[in-house]
Amino acid sequence: MSVKSNLVASILAATVLAGAANAADDLKVGLMFTLSGPAATLGEQGRDGFLLALDQIGDLGGVPTEVIIVDDEQKPDVAANKARELVTRDEVDFVVGPTFSNIALAIHKPITDSGTILISPNAGPSPFAGADCHPNFYATSYQNDQMHEVMGAHAKKQGYDNVFLMAPNYQAGKDSLSGFKHSYDGGIAGEIYTQLGQLDFSAELAQIAAMQPDALFTFMPGGMGVNLVKQYRQAGLASIPFLSAFTVDESTLPAQQDAAVGFYSGANWTPDTDNEQSRAFVTAYEEKYGSVPGSYAMHGYDTALLLDAAVRAVGGDLEDRAGLRKALEAAEFQSLRGKFAFGPNHYPVQDFYLAEVVKRDDGKFQTSMVRKIFEDYQDNYASECVMPN
């Protein structure tokens, strides 16, 4: 297996070399993640999870594999240009990524229209789960709403009737609040969309302090979540339950640390998931990268397993696109999360859980599974998908 760097301007690339130059019929995978800026830790986990699986598998499906890693810089226009380069200049067979939903919206058309298969290990925007579903698009993570629906169901079960809602103003942020409200029918103390990338939440926290809601629900990934959690704790608001998704997780906890302990999130997997394969993955990831893996890394790892199974199912014939799509739909691999299947819209049907931040005996922080919220749960947009042939 060889991994070739794609260094253009401010692209952050990772290069792993093993073996001689690839033949013309080698399998090429483009990895596109956010690898710079405050949200880089999310993309790094996705990349590292995928590469860890390659270390263990070797060539995907037994076909000599080349991986090209690019940084989308969390900029839709930059990402769209790099997506075109991957499918036209580099002629990749698959693109794996991205981290953020606004990037997914930008790269979806240039990739899928080219006949290249796009597999998202994180972003799960609602349009592609419903009316805009596409035979060349798959998500190995979730539909964006679902993690937030977990927290809405938890808030309802707890009897909260006055919840303050806050998310950044972009597609995933809108999906997050929509998802929360899908399973929560109580009162809303306030609803705020902040600027994407905002790091100072003093004004919003002042509103929360004044309103004294039953709980806060928020979606603030990456550096936004790091700052929000620290500022929330410093403002003396921790007595107000902190409910979230992608705000306190293994990508942010190394920076949040004790400030996040006891805060809740939605999850489809946690590092203490109780199956042998998951335990082995967590051990291998921590040994290789020195950090605790989150769902970003797990999804990256699972995506590599999915690709390996699909390529093997067609005997390495990368020209058999229909066969590859059917093999991907079959999802004949063992997910680290346990049960996994694709719904008719190429989004997963899976279990979801309430998770809580804990401090481990070794001083590291992670999310820990509390209880199951949804079982074999399919997203709410699948019925709108009429998958083209």
Side-chain angles (χ1 to χ4, degrees):
M1 176 187 70
S2 66
V3 178
K4 181 180 71 176
S5 298
N6 188 26
L7 295 172
V8 180
S10 59
I11 294 175
L12 172 65
T15 305
V16 179
L17 298 176
N22 291 348
D25 58 352
D26 289 351
L27 189 158
K28 288 187 178 183
V29 180
L31 297 187
M32 178 179 286
F33 291 103
T34 297
L35 298 171
S36 57
T41 54
L42 284 68
E44 289 165 357
Q45 284 222 1
R47 175 200 64 194
D48 292 346
F50 189 93
L51 293 179
L52 176 61
L54 284 186
D55 284 347
Q56 298 174 351
I57 295 170
D59 292 323
L60 294 173
V63 178
T65 301
E66 177 181 358
V67 176
I68 303 170
I69 304 175
V70 298
D71 176 14
D72 60 41
E73 303 176 36
Q74 206 176 344
K75 298 175 182 176
D77 55 340
V78 170
N81 287 334
K82 292 181 179 179
R84 294 184 187 96
E85 290 177 355
L86 285 173
V87 299
T88 57
R89 183 190 65 194
D90 300 311
E91 297 182 332
V92 298
D93 300 288
F94 304 95
V95 175
V96 173
T99 309
F100 286 88
S101 290
N102 58 335
I103 305 301
L105 293 171
I107 69 174
H108 181 274
K109 184 174 177 59
I111 292 173
T112 57
D113 283 0
S114 74
T116 305
I117 293 173
L118 172 62
I119 304 179
S120 173
N122 190 57
S126 54
F128 304 148
D132 295 332
C133 63
H134 195 286
N136 289 331
F137 178 79
Y138 299 76
T140 53
S141 49
Y142 34 66
Q143 193 280 314
N144 285 343
D145 298 20
Q146 291 178 302
M147 291 295 198
H148 314 290
E149 290 180 54
V150 169
M151 302 314 300
H154 172 66
K156 183 176 181 178
K157 184 178 178 65
Q158 295 299 111
Y160 299 147
D161 195 37
N162 193 34
V163 179
F164 192 95
L165 309 181
M166 183 165 63
N169 189 18
Y170 78 118
Q171 183 65 52
K174 295 172 183 177
D175 285 348
S176 72
L177 299 194
S178 173
F180 181 87
K181 288 184 284 188
H182 186 270
S183 54
Y184 171 76
D185 55 8
I188 303 297
E191 183 171 333
I192 293 178
Y193 285 102
T194 66
Q195 183 178 350
L196 182 62
Q198 180 172 321
L199 298 176
D200 181 2
F201 297 94
S202 54
E204 291 81 7
L205 295 180
Q207 290 187 52
I208 294 170
M211 292 180 175
Q212 288 294 304
D214 292 341
L216 165 70
F217 170 72
T218 186
F219 161 66
M220 289 288 169
M224 295 181 292
V226 170
N227 281 28
L228 174 61
V229 166
K230 289 182 176 180
Q231 292 166 24
Y232 195 83
R233 182 76 69 172
Q234 290 166 358
L237 295 174
S239 61
I240 299 172
F242 189 101
L243 314 181
S244 69
F246 313 109
T247 305
V248 291
D249 60 33
E250 286 68 25
S251 71
T252 56
L253 289 174
Q256 294 163 334
Q257 300 194 2
D258 290 300
V261 171
F263 288 2
Y264 292 101
S265 67
N268 62 348
W269 174 89
T270 57
D272 60 358
T273 294
D274 190 19
N275 69 63
E276 182 177 353
Q277 187 183 17
S278 180
R279 289 191 293 271
F281 160 73
V282 172
T283 297
Y285 188 96
E286 292 193 24
E287 288 178 352
K288 185 173 180 64
Y289 301 112
S291 61
V292 183
S295 62
Y296 309 99
M298 180 274 285
H299 296 146
Y301 189 96
D302 265 9
T303 300
L305 298 185
L306 170 67
L307 283 176
D308 180 62
V311 174
R312 290 184 188 280
V314 297
D317 182 4
L318 301 176
E319 298 299 318
D320 183 6
R321 308 309 284 179
L324 278 171
R325 286 191 289 268
K326 288 181 180 179
L328 289 169
E329 290 169 357
E332 293 183 349
F333 74 102
Q334 183 57 54
S335 170
L336 296 178
R337 72 202 87 174
K339 292 187 294 182
F340 178 97
F342 278 120
N345 57 353
H346 295 173
Y347 277 65
V349 178
Q350 60 190 319
D351 296 343
F352 290 89
Y353 307 87
L354 176 70
E356 181 180 8
V357 176
V358 299
K359 187 174 184 178
R360 306 191 323 190
D361 292 340
D362 63 3
K364 293 181 179 180
F365 299 82
Q366 69 172 58
T367 54
S368 179
M369 202 170 289
V370 176
R371 62 183 174 88
K372 186 182 293 185
I373 301 292
F374 299 126
E375 185 169 6
D376 293 333
Y377 192 51
Q378 181 171 276
D379 65 85
N380 297 300
Y381 301 91
S383 61
E384 300 172 17
C385 170
V386 178
M387 189 66 69
N389 294 325

